[in-house]
Amino acid sequence: VQLSALKRTTKKEKRMRNIGRVKDVGLRRLSQKLVAKQLKRVNKIAEDDAWVNEYLSYARPMPVGGEYTIPREQAKMILEDIYGAGPDLEHLNLDEEDEDGVAGDYDDEEEEEEEEDLETMERLRRK
């Protein structure tokens, strides 16, 4: 009596058998339906990749329009032309009159009007 057993084929043997079959029969042609299905899948993956790429692009540093570097000496020279040299607050005199002839302090009339406005608003708040 002969006993039979299932012989497992290794990957190497399967590969060899498939290569031999391709030599004899030739390559199988893909159907249009299968090609369309695979292309649909590829396009979906490409859309997902494009979305992820755009989403991650917000975290990447991007150059900003008008951003440039300027040498320190040139920047200092430009700022001195605009604002002048030295601190101005030390030389500021609030008691001097402006071009309009008004002193640096508020007028008493303006202070009284402001106090009246504050009292009026306080009364309205309490109602």
Side-chain angles (χ1 to χ4, degrees), residues 19-37:
I19 290 172
R21 192 176 310 137
V22 167
K23 283 183 183 177
D24 294 339
V25 178
L27 292 173
R28 269 183 32 193
R29 295 187 54 93
L30 294 175
S31 68
Q32 289 292 71
K33 187 176 182 181
L34 186 60
V35 170
K37 183 178 177 183

Side-chain angles (χ1 to χ4, degrees), residues 5-11 13-14 17:
L6 180 64
K7 180 186 170 205
R8 302 234 177 218
T9 56
T10 63
K11 286 184 180 180
E13 290 173 346
K14 284 182 183 179
R17 189 178 311 131

Side-chain angles (χ1 to χ4, degrees), residues 22 55 66 77 79 86-87 94 120:
V22 167
Y55 181 74
M77 201 168 63
L79 290 174
L94 294 176
T120 306

